Amino acid sequence: MVLELQKPRPIWQIMFSTHHTDVGLLYLITSLGFLFLGGSLALAIRAELFLPGAQIITDAMTFNRIFTVHGTTLIFLFILPFASAVGNYYVPIMVRYKDMAYPKLNAIAFWMIPPSGALIWLGFADFTWYATPPYSIISAPGPAADMWIFGLKILGISSVLGAINFVVTILKCKHPDMSIGQVPLLAWSYLSSSLIILVAIPTFAAALLMLLTDRLGVSGFFNPAMGGDPIAYAHLFWFTFHPEVYVLVIPAIGMMYEIIPRFSRKPIYSYNSGIFAFVLLSIVGFSSWAHHMFATGMSFTEKTVFMVGTLAAVPASAMHVFNFIATMWNGRIKFLSPMMWSVGGIALFFGAGAGGVVNSAMPLDFSTHDTYWVVGHFHLFVMGTIAFGSIGFLYYMFPYVTGRMYNETLGKVHFVMSFIGTILVFFTQHVLGLYGMPRRIFDYPPIPEWIAMNQIATVGAMIIGVSMAIFLANMIYSSGKGKLANTEDPFGVGGKYYYPFEAKNPSH
């Protein structure tokens, strides 16, 4: 039994509660709402690019607005809040504490998300989720751009408050009999990602403040007309958002560390290497931000340092993959939906990582920079690894949260369609990049290869869209009408809730 199930209550009791499971539920519902909103914009983008010329979007400015809000929504309003939902539910239970360390602060951190989401959606800015100057200073129309900046500022504060809560809960509130080396790997993933947030986010907060004052004309940090340097913004942005990628993926890997041993019916192959890999990824995340900027005139020595720093993430990531495979090896695997999504996420993680090596290698990066290769790599990483791990965990926690089982057949259909669609969209975009199609364009010339691959990618996106509709229907129907779950062992994998320190396999 993982979670304490409660009888149905009025919605306002949950909304104004500070209990960690209630706040987790609010995070969960909000993040799923933004998943479908941001996903709808993705489908609009893919429909527009199905053929050259304007299809369903009338002009480039509207396309750029949709493009910006799509990226901002899915990164900041889906992935991060979803990770907070899982952390709120499970971290206090895993460290055997009654709640988060600061319950009221926890609720405040959540309630910052709806207004920031409203600012982003009502503004509908057009300067991409990078907000790259000088366009974001000189030409981006207000108040949309200013609303986006304020929305991101609020989200940043929310993330920092949440990170402080996770760090204190794990380090200071864990049960006295539990050493830090006994904390489950999912909790370790939250500790690692929270520490990254505390180091990285203040940098972007400062960059946003400088951007805002530039827009108001009182400073010129990034405005070339006033002696500023737009490249300085790029450094500040990537110093935050390259590590931020690990903030997004590390909790998803932690979720896989919960699912794979359970459904393999084996202990984790190497608990200690999992911790080491989390810590290593947290460190190397800061040593590789400038690989996004090889084309900005850095010296050869600087490029080499950052190329090596970027490649240092490979062995750390490989440790996790090896751990997963070794855990499954000779296991009595039960391929239910959570396990299928996790295994699919690992396979796509491998593909995304292989593509990332190209981006980190200087000569290859010059060939693929700012092409659809980068779009394919980033989305394969975000959708193929992070979203797959997150959705798998959503199926895993569903019976514990609702007390009912989802429809397993529909869960598998959802996985198969999403896996096929993801390959069609994002592997095709890699190839499209090799054919030279630039990213972030509203229209493209009628080159037969470009047309064919855009159509394949669009068909893949539509398959994902249909699968998500099936998922939504399954979740809604099963929440109210699904079969009652055996909350002691809803998946029939046997045993009690798994803690690594309770059952180590002697052979490992």
Side-chain angles (χ1 to χ4, degrees):
M1 176 68 178
V2 177
L3 302 174
E4 181 184 353
L5 297 175
Q6 300 190 31
K7 294 179 181 178
R9 291 167 292 157
I11 185 68
W12 59 84
Q13 286 190 9
I14 297 174
M15 290 177 66
F16 297 109
S17 169
T18 59
H19 192 262
H20 68 101
T21 56
D22 291 333
V23 176
L25 187 62
L26 293 173
Y27 268 117
L28 185 64
I29 294 171
T30 304
S31 65
L32 291 177
F34 281 116
L35 165 66
F36 284 93
L37 287 172
S40 300
L41 297 183
L43 293 180
I45 292 169
R46 285 311 325 164
E48 173 55 42
L49 295 173
F50 187 76
L51 287 170
Q55 306 301 316
I56 62 168
I57 300 173
T58 54
D59 56 81
M61 174 65 85
T62 306
F63 180 86
N64 290 339
R65 290 181 184 277
I66 292 173
F67 179 83
T68 300
V69 177
H70 152 70
T72 307
T73 298
L74 290 182
I75 291 173
F76 299 108
L77 298 171
F78 161 55
I79 295 176
L80 286 176
F82 185 88
S84 296
V86 173
N88 268 280
Y89 261 105
Y90 279 85
V91 167
I93 294 167
M94 288 182 163
V95 300
R96 301 182 185 175
Y97 191 62
K98 58 186 178 183
D99 205 330
M100 296 292 284
Y102 307 114
K104 291 181 181 177
L105 197 67
N106 197 30
I108 290 170
F110 164 75
W111 282 107
M112 288 182 171
I113 293 176
S116 57
L119 283 170
I120 291 165
W121 272 78
L122 291 174
F124 241 68
D126 70 330
F127 49 23
T128 82
W129 73 277
Y130 295 66
T132 306
Y135 177 76
S136 59
I137 298 170
I138 299 171
S139 304
D146 307 297
M147 292 169 75
W148 185 93
I149 292 171
F150 274 107
L152 266 287
K153 293 287 286 184
I154 297 171
L155 283 174
I157 295 170
S158 169
S159 294
V160 169
L161 294 180
I164 292 171
N165 227 339
F166 280 123
V167 170
V168 177
T169 303
I170 295 168
L171 294 182
K172 294 295 183 185
C173 301
K174 62 182 173 57
H175 194 278
D177 293 340
M178 177 185 285
S179 72
I180 190 66
Q182 293 174 321
V183 170
L185 285 171
L186 179 59
W188 260 104
S189 73
Y190 280 87
L191 179 61
S192 305
S193 59
S194 297
L195 291 174
I196 296 175
I197 288 173
L198 293 179
V199 176
I201 290 295
T203 304
F204 188 57
L208 281 180
L209 191 60
M210 295 157 77
L211 194 68
L212 183 63
T213 55
D214 278 10
R215 282 183 58 80
L216 296 173
V218 297
S219 65
F221 295 110
F222 312 125
N223 187 350
M226 299 175 69
D229 182 6
I231 300 298
Y233 177 86
H235 278 290
L236 294 172
F237 180 90
W238 286 117
F239 180 80
T240 298
F241 284 102
H242 191 80
E244 183 79 5
V245 171
Y246 296 99
V247 171
L248 306 177
V249 75
I250 285 177
I253 293 173
M255 294 172 204
M256 294 177 187
Y257 270 119
E258 280 299 300
I259 290 172
I260 289 173
R262 288 283 288 166
F263 288 83
S264 299
R265 291 180 263 197
K266 279 180 64 186
I268 297 165
Y269 175 74
S270 175
Y271 171 80
N272 290 333
S273 71
I275 295 175
F276 181 72
F278 280 140
V279 174
L280 190 59
L281 277 177
S282 304
I283 296 170
V284 300
F286 289 97
S287 67
S288 50
W289 84 84
H291 87 257
H292 294 269
M293 302 163 63
F294 283 159
T296 58
M298 287 191 298
S299 70
F300 181 78
T301 304
E302 290 170 326
K303 290 174 190 172
T304 305
V305 168
F306 282 106
M307 183 176 75
V308 173
T310 307
L311 292 174
V314 174
S317 303
M319 275 187 222
H320 290 306
V321 174
F322 183 80
N323 254 350
F324 293 141
I325 295 173
T327 302
M328 289 187 282
W329 193 267
N330 287 333
R332 294 182 297 122
I333 301 174
K334 195 164 187 177
F335 276 109
L336 299 181
S337 294
M339 187 64 173
M340 294 178 73
W341 281 91
S342 296
V343 173
I346 294 168
L348 296 173
F349 182 47
F350 193 81
V357 172
V358 172
N359 297 336
S360 64
M362 280 184 282
L364 298 175
D365 181 69
F366 278 112
S367 300
T368 58
H369 190 77
D370 268 346
T371 70
Y372 254 83
W373 176 280
V374 179
V375 179
H377 162 66
F378 179 70
H379 282 78
L380 190 60
F381 196 66
V382 172
M383 173 68 190
T385 305
I386 301 169
F388 268 54
S390 300
I391 292 172
F393 203 84
L394 181 60
Y395 279 109
Y396 178 66
M397 65 193 292
F398 185 87
Y400 296 117
V401 175
T402 65
R404 296 180 181 274
M405 285 302 293
Y406 59 85
N407 185 301
E408 182 61 40
T409 302
L410 292 180
K412 289 177 177 173
V413 170
H414 178 206
F415 166 76
V416 171
M417 291 181 68
S418 295
F419 191 76
I420 293 171
T422 299
I423 289 173
L424 287 177
V425 179
F426 305 121
F427 278 87
T428 304
Q429 287 181 339
H430 280 79
V431 182
L432 199 50
L434 295 179
Y435 271 84
M437 180 166 167
R439 61 195 296 201
R440 304 177 186 134
I441 56 172
F442 166 59
D443 194 9
Y444 55 92
I447 301 171
E449 291 83 0
W450 289 19
I451 295 173
M453 284 185 276
N454 271 298
Q455 289 177 342
I456 292 171
T458 301
V459 169
M462 297 305 165
I463 292 173
I464 295 174
V466 172
S467 77
M468 294 305 292
I470 293 171
F471 163 68
L472 181 63
N474 190 9
M475 293 293 106
I476 293 174
Y477 180 82
S478 300
S479 296
K481 302 289 185 180
K483 186 175 67 175
L484 289 176
N486 169 17
T487 51
E488 290 294 326
D489 184 17
F491 300 100
V493 291
K496 295 292 184 182
Y497 185 63
Y498 174 70
Y499 286 102
F501 61 92
E502 287 183 343
K504 285 186 177 177
N505 188 330
S507 65
H508 297 153

